PDB file of all heavy atoms in Angstrom:
ATOM      1  N   ILE J 568     154.982 -55.474  84.810  1.00  0.00           N
ATOM      2  CA  ILE J 568     156.396 -55.171  84.653  1.00  0.00           C
ATOM      3  C   ILE J 568     156.977 -54.928  86.043  1.00  0.00           C
ATOM      4  O   ILE J 568     156.458 -54.101  86.804  1.00  0.00           O
ATOM      5  CB  ILE J 568     156.621 -53.917  83.776  1.00  0.00           C
ATOM      6  CG1 ILE J 568     155.952 -54.080  82.413  1.00  0.00           C
ATOM      7  CG2 ILE J 568     158.105 -53.627  83.623  1.00  0.00           C
ATOM      8  CD1 ILE J 568     156.580 -55.112  81.523  1.00  0.00           C
ATOM      9  N   LEU J 569     158.043 -55.642  86.387  1.00  0.00           N
ATOM     10  CA  LEU J 569     158.661 -55.541  87.710  1.00  0.00           C
ATOM     11  C   LEU J 569     159.962 -54.755  87.582  1.00  0.00           C
ATOM     12  O   LEU J 569     160.871 -55.152  86.847  1.00  0.00           O
ATOM     13  CB  LEU J 569     158.932 -56.933  88.277  1.00  0.00           C
ATOM     14  CG  LEU J 569     157.725 -57.879  88.288  1.00  0.00           C
ATOM     15  CD1 LEU J 569     158.139 -59.274  88.744  1.00  0.00           C
ATOM     16  CD2 LEU J 569     156.612 -57.333  89.165  1.00  0.00           C
ATOM     17  N   VAL J 570     160.043 -53.654  88.294  1.00  0.00           N
ATOM     18  CA  VAL J 570     161.150 -52.708  88.113  1.00  0.00           C
ATOM     19  C   VAL J 570     162.034 -52.654  89.355  1.00  0.00           C
ATOM     20  O   VAL J 570     161.590 -52.211  90.430  1.00  0.00           O
ATOM     21  CB  VAL J 570     160.619 -51.297  87.806  1.00  0.00           C
ATOM     22  CG1 VAL J 570     161.781 -50.331  87.583  1.00  0.00           C
ATOM     23  CG2 VAL J 570     159.707 -51.328  86.580  1.00  0.00           C
ATOM     24  N   PRO J 571     163.307 -53.069  89.238  1.00  0.00           N
ATOM     25  CA  PRO J 571     164.254 -52.871  90.340  1.00  0.00           C
ATOM     26  C   PRO J 571     164.778 -51.432  90.284  1.00  0.00           C
ATOM     27  O   PRO J 571     165.306 -50.991  89.276  1.00  0.00           O
ATOM     28  CB  PRO J 571     165.358 -53.886  90.035  1.00  0.00           C
ATOM     29  CG  PRO J 571     165.317 -54.061  88.547  1.00  0.00           C
ATOM     30  CD  PRO J 571     163.898 -53.791  88.112  1.00  0.00           C
ATOM     31  N   THR J 572     164.625 -50.709  91.382  1.00  0.00           N
ATOM     32  CA  THR J 572     164.917 -49.277  91.378  1.00  0.00           C
ATOM     33  C   THR J 572     166.338 -48.929  91.800  1.00  0.00           C
ATOM     34  O   THR J 572     166.659 -47.759  92.011  1.00  0.00           O
ATOM     35  CB  THR J 572     163.923 -48.537  92.285  1.00  0.00           C
ATOM     36  OG1 THR J 572     164.053 -49.051  93.622  1.00  0.00           O
ATOM     37  CG2 THR J 572     162.492 -48.737  91.800  1.00  0.00           C
ATOM     38  N   PHE J 573     167.174 -49.942  91.970  1.00  0.00           N
ATOM     39  CA  PHE J 573     168.585 -49.767  92.280  1.00  0.00           C
ATOM     40  C   PHE J 573     168.772 -48.992  93.590  1.00  0.00           C
ATOM     41  O   PHE J 573     168.532 -49.530  94.654  1.00  0.00           O
ATOM     42  CB  PHE J 573     169.304 -49.103  91.105  1.00  0.00           C
ATOM     43  CG  PHE J 573     170.736 -49.552  90.941  1.00  0.00           C
ATOM     44  CD1 PHE J 573     171.009 -50.804  90.425  1.00  0.00           C
ATOM     45  CD2 PHE J 573     171.796 -48.734  91.286  1.00  0.00           C
ATOM     46  CE1 PHE J 573     172.329 -51.242  90.264  1.00  0.00           C
ATOM     47  CE2 PHE J 573     173.113 -49.158  91.137  1.00  0.00           C
ATOM     48  CZ  PHE J 573     173.381 -50.407  90.628  1.00  0.00           C
ATOM     49  N   PHE J 574     169.163 -47.734  93.547  1.00  0.00           N
ATOM     50  CA  PHE J 574     169.474 -46.989  94.772  1.00  0.00           C
ATOM     51  C   PHE J 574     168.247 -46.686  95.634  1.00  0.00           C
ATOM     52  O   PHE J 574     168.388 -46.310  96.800  1.00  0.00           O
ATOM     53  CB  PHE J 574     170.205 -45.695  94.437  1.00  0.00           C
ATOM     54  CG  PHE J 574     171.587 -45.901  93.874  1.00  0.00           C
ATOM     55  CD1 PHE J 574     171.948 -45.336  92.666  1.00  0.00           C
ATOM     56  CD2 PHE J 574     172.522 -46.665  94.553  1.00  0.00           C
ATOM     57  CE1 PHE J 574     173.224 -45.525  92.140  1.00  0.00           C
ATOM     58  CE2 PHE J 574     173.805 -46.853  94.051  1.00  0.00           C
ATOM     59  CZ  PHE J 574     174.154 -46.281  92.834  1.00  0.00           C
ATOM     60  N   LYS J 575     167.039 -46.819  95.096  1.00  0.00           N
ATOM     61  CA  LYS J 575     165.833 -46.643  95.906  1.00  0.00           C
ATOM     62  C   LYS J 575     165.529 -47.895  96.730  1.00  0.00           C
ATOM     63  O   LYS J 575     164.625 -47.900  97.576  1.00  0.00           O
ATOM     64  CB  LYS J 575     164.637 -46.299  95.021  1.00  0.00           C
ATOM     65  CG  LYS J 575     164.716 -44.935  94.360  1.00  0.00           C
ATOM     66  CD  LYS J 575     164.693 -43.794  95.355  1.00  0.00           C
ATOM     67  CE  LYS J 575     164.669 -42.456  94.644  1.00  0.00           C
ATOM     68  NZ  LYS J 575     164.681 -41.316  95.594  1.00  0.00           N
ATOM     69  N   ASN J 576     166.222 -49.008  96.429  1.00  0.00           N
ATOM     70  CA  ASN J 576     166.196 -50.215  97.253  1.00  0.00           C
ATOM     71  C   ASN J 576     164.835 -50.910  97.336  1.00  0.00           C
ATOM     72  O   ASN J 576     164.497 -51.521  98.350  1.00  0.00           O
ATOM     73  CB  ASN J 576     166.678 -49.900  98.682  1.00  0.00           C
ATOM     74  CG  ASN J 576     168.053 -49.277  98.701  1.00  0.00           C
ATOM     75  OD1 ASN J 576     168.932 -49.642  97.907  1.00  0.00           O
ATOM     76  ND2 ASN J 576     168.261 -48.322  99.590  1.00  0.00           N
TER      77      ASN J 576
END
Side-chain angles (χ1 to χ4, degrees):
I568 304 291
L569 308 174
V570 182
T572 60
F573 213 74
F574 293 126
K575 292 295 184 181
N576 304 323

